[in-house]
């Protein structure tokens, strides 16, 4: 198991290996977000999902999210693992762990991380149903990015 | 040579994940038109994808050099 703080992997995710990477004596809170595969989306039954990633860039962008969090919450520690490949209903797709000295920041930073993942991390999800399959676009239901770049993109 | 990467629906439509194209010193915008000529079925998709060069997002005016790795990034849906 790699010790890197940001991983994209085909292996099943273990929550504790992610949270353990943000444990720190200065932390008073560790917030864990666990994203799981949902069976029903708008009434439609999903059989399973397939995730695909541009792995090296996805890991870099997860790392960038960690950096952005530390700019906003300097004492935060962040670890994120995202799984790819075939995932069944209830499987864990993503684990985000954030530790901070006080709880409010841990909640806020964790929320920030998952929203940014949905904007800038090159990972794609395909839903398989009984009667078909479809690559899912982003959450704002964009089919395209009109500017060619994601909204809220920062220049490093 | 430029290495071009297709993902998700783009990979399915082109039947390719990686192609090497013999261009250099052209903008992202120009590369898109060249790729559309070669793969007309992804014209609509390419109009609005994000583009990354060597794993960083770039604008349409970005000048691609030889040996760059260019990735067309459809709307992402991780998490």
């Amino acid at each position: 198991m790699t010790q890197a703080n940001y991983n994209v992997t085909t292996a099943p995710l273990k929550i504790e290996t992610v949270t353990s990477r943000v444990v720190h004596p200065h932390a008073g809170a560790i917030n864990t977000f666990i994203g799981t595969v949902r069976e029903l989306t708008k009434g439609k039954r999903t059989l399973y999902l397939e995730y695909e990633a541009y792995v090296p860039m996805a890991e870099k962008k997860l790392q960038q999210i960690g950096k952005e969090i530390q700019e906003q919450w300097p004492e935060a520690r962040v670890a994120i693992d995202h799984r790819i490949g075939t995932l069944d209903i209830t499987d864990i797709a993503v684990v985000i762990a954030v530790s901070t000295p006080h709880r409010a920041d841990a909640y806020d930073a964790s929320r920030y991380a998952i929203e940014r993942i949905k904007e800038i991390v090159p990972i794609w999800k395909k839903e398989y149903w009984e009667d078909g399959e479809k690559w899912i676009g982003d959450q704002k239901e964009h089919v395209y990015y009109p500017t060619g770049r994601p909204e809220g993109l920062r220049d490093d | 040579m430029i290495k071009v990467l297709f993902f998700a629906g783009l990979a399915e439509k082109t039947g390719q994940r990686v192609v090497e194209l013999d261009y250099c010193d052209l903008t992202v915008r120009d590369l898109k038109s060249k790729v559309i000529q070669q793969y007309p079925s992804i014209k609509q998709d390419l109009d609005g994808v994000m583009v990354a060069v060597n794993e960083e997002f770039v604008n349409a005016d970005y000048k691609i050099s030889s040996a760059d790795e260019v990735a067309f990034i459809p709307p992402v849906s991780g998490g």
Side-chain angles (χ1 to χ4, degrees):
Chain A
M1 191 73 187
T2 170
Q3 288 303 297
N5 266 11
Y6 305 93
N7 303 289
V8 174
T9 172
T10 54
L13 301 184
K14 292 203 177 70
I15 297 159
E16 205 168 339
T17 65
V18 185
T19 53
S20 67
R21 300 203 296 263
V22 301
V23 169
H24 192 272
H26 295 174
I30 296 178
N31 188 294
T32 310
F33 173 84
I34 302 161
T36 56
V37 176
R38 177 180 57 229
E39 183 175 35
L40 293 174
T41 298
K42 292 175 186 162
K44 202 164 170 104
R45 185 179 303 275
T46 300
L47 301 178
Y48 61 95
L49 291 184
E50 222 171 270
Y51 280 96
E52 176 185 324
Y54 180 14
V55 175
M57 180 171 172
E59 290 183 337
K60 251 188 182 170
K61 290 290 135 188
L62 291 176
Q63 199 167 358
Q64 179 186 325
I65 292 170
K67 244 174 64 189
E68 290 175 8
I69 287 174
Q70 280 162 342
E71 281 165 19
Q72 229 174 311
W73 297 277
E75 289 180 277
R77 282 180 169 71
V78 186
I80 306 172
D81 284 3
H82 200 298
R83 190 173 168 195
I84 54 172
T86 303
L87 273 73
D88 292 321
I89 306 305
T90 76
D91 277 354
I92 297 173
V94 63
V95 178
I96 299 168
V98 181
S99 70
T100 55
H102 302 285
R103 66 183 180 282
D105 289 344
Y107 278 111
D108 292 346
S110 175
R111 180 67 190 262
Y112 178 86
I114 186 65
E115 301 302 336
R116 284 297 272 164
I117 285 174
K118 290 171 182 295
E119 288 171 353
I120 65 165
V121 180
I123 297 177
W124 301 273
K125 170 168 81 177
K126 190 178 196 179
E127 287 184 356
Y128 287 82
W129 314 300
E130 278 160 357
D131 59 347
E133 54 185 59
K134 188 186 173 211
W135 285 104
I136 304 302
D138 69 17
Q139 292 212 316
K140 291 158 191 159
E141 309 272 325
H142 283 162
V143 182
Y144 310 119
Y145 295 98
T147 62
R149 311 177 92 196
E151 284 167 33
L153 184 72
R154 299 167 163 212
D155 290 306
D156 288 321
Chain B
M1 288 292 245
I2 297 169
K3 196 184 197 184
V4 175
L5 307 183
F6 295 120
F7 295 97
L10 293 179
E12 282 176 4
K13 285 187 187 170
T14 59
Q16 305 281 343
R17 294 197 162 269
V18 186
V19 286
E20 303 237 312
L21 298 177
D22 202 5
Y23 303 117
C24 59
D25 296 324
L26 78 177
T27 61
V28 164
R29 187 180 294 106
D30 295 338
L31 177 67
K32 271 191 188 176
S33 351
K34 305 265 187 203
V35 169
I36 288 166
Q37 283 170 21
Q38 204 163 332
Y39 302 99
S41 67
I42 57 170
K43 181 180 185 317
Q44 266 212 322
D45 308 74
L46 276 201
D47 277 345
V49 294
M50 294 190 275
V51 178
V53 174
N54 302 328
E55 303 172 5
E56 281 302 333
F57 291 112
V58 296
N59 290 317
D61 298 323
Y62 187 89
K63 199 95 179 268
I64 301 165
S65 326
S66 184
D68 277 349
E69 179 175 288
V70 182
F72 292 113
I73 313 241
V76 302
S77 48

